[in-house]
Amino acid sequence: EAGVAQSPRYKIIEKRQSVAFWCNPISGHATLYWYQQILGQGPKLLIQFQNNGVVDDSQLPKDRFSAERLKGVDSTLKIQPAKLEDSAVYLCASSLDRQMYQETQYFGPGTRLLVL
Amino acid sequence: GQQVMQIPQYQHVQEGEDFTTYCNSSTTLSNIQWYKQRPGGHPVFLIQLVKSGEVKKQKRLTFQFGEAKKNSSLHITATQTTDVGTYFCAGRSGGYQKVTFGTGTKLQVIP
């Protein structure tokens, strides 16, 4: 079974530029998560999708971050414009469903973003 | 909002010693999961606990969920160098089952 795919793996941009990350979850997984993990900290949930609907985006800085999950499969996360403090690893994860016992999250390798 | 804290933040142990990390939530959780993240890697699921007072074992790892469902612990017996990494708990609560990761405990095992 293929895992969660993410691209790019690394990205270096200057502040005020835009960047987009892509995630392809495990086939059949209804729930998709985007996390921001700053060095030395735990993953922070940015947005959670159930199929193509948003379940939680309370910690997404909506003035600069946006995310979509078209057709309930792939997802993109965009930052526009980027700030220095956005430097982090952006992790995508998927789970089979939001129902109990089906919430195991499978993480992708992450995209390491450096904002200069 | 919900906060999940872990202690200690760092732990260095000699190989063969035991290790324990504690996870405390500011709110009652519906379930808690534990993940391990190796240096440079991504979190990997270890286990999920659902019931109050639940205890689960995986070889040398013992996981416990508190009676009040607000805390949890992970205990590793006789650590090995392969146990090196950061251990995170992740709790779910609320109507939308929002997941909050803990602050993590970084384990270093000295051979």
Side-chain angles (χ1 to χ4, degrees):
Chain A
E1 179 183 75
V4 176
Q6 288 188 249
S7 68
R9 293 294 309 277
Y10 305 92
K11 192 74 177 178
I12 301 175
I13 61 172
E14 295 188 347
K15 60 183 179 184
R16 291 188 287 273
Q17 285 188 324
S18 301
V19 65
F21 312 127
W22 173 82
C23 173
N24 182 228
I26 293 174
S27 177
H29 279 199
T31 307
L32 186 146
Y33 313 77
W34 281 104
Y35 290 90
Q36 180 193 59
Q37 187 173 26
I38 293 171
L39 189 64
Q41 298 182 17
K44 172 187 166 185
L45 180 67
L46 294 176
I47 190 167
Q48 178 180 337
F49 292 95
Q50 176 80 3
N51 296 309
N52 60 351
V54 176
V55 172
D56 188 294
D57 63 356
S58 57
Q59 298 190 104
L60 185 74
K62 297 179 185 65
D63 58 334
R64 298 184 301 106
F65 286 65
S66 65
E68 60 181 7
R69 189 182 184 196
L70 298 176
K71 300 180 182 179
V73 183
D74 293 7
S75 177
T76 56
L77 175 69
K78 296 180 181 178
I79 307 175
Q80 182 179 11
K83 292 185 176 181
L84 297 176
E85 58 261 35
D86 298 332
S87 294
V89 176
Y90 290 84
L91 294 163
C92 178
S94 69
S95 63
L96 186 60
D97 201 87
R98 283 182 60 231
Q99 300 302 315
M100 206 72 76
Y101 302 112
Q102 293 181 307
E103 295 172 325
T104 299
Q105 294 182 63
Y106 297 87
F107 283 82
T111 296
R112 196 172 297 270
L113 174 67
L114 179 60
V115 182
L116 301 175
Chain B
Q2 180 185 2
Q3 291 187 330
V4 180
M5 303 296 293
Q6 284 182 250
I7 54 170
Q9 189 175 1
Y10 302 97
Q11 184 84 59
H12 291 76
V13 299
Q14 288 288 141
E15 189 173 17
E17 291 183 338
D18 292 357
F19 159 77
T20 304
T21 173
Y22 300 91
C23 175
N24 295 287
S25 170
S26 59
T27 60
T28 302
L29 302 170
S30 57
N31 65 58
I32 195 159
Q33 296 177 338
W34 284 90
Y35 291 81
K36 177 183 178 181
Q37 186 172 25
R38 293 182 184 275
H42 56 271
V44 175
F45 174 80
L46 294 176
I47 208 158
Q48 175 170 285
L49 304 169
V50 178
K51 300 176 184 176
S52 170
E54 188 171 13
V55 178
K56 287 188 176 181
K57 292 189 176 184
Q58 284 181 352
K59 297 182 181 178
R60 296 179 295 105
L61 278 59
T62 302
F63 304 84
Q64 192 164 5
F65 202 7
E67 293 290 341
K69 301 184 75 173
K70 293 182 73 173
N71 55 73
S72 181
S73 65
L74 157 60
H75 179 83
I76 302 178
T77 304
T79 55
Q80 300 175 358
T81 54
T82 53
D83 296 326
V84 164
T86 301
Y87 292 85
F88 292 100
C89 61
R92 288 182 183 266
S93 65
Y96 290 107
Q97 294 294 292
K98 178 180 176 178
V99 59
T100 301
F101 271 75
T103 48
T105 295
K106 187 174 183 177
L107 172 64
Q108 192 64 258
V109 178
I110 305 164

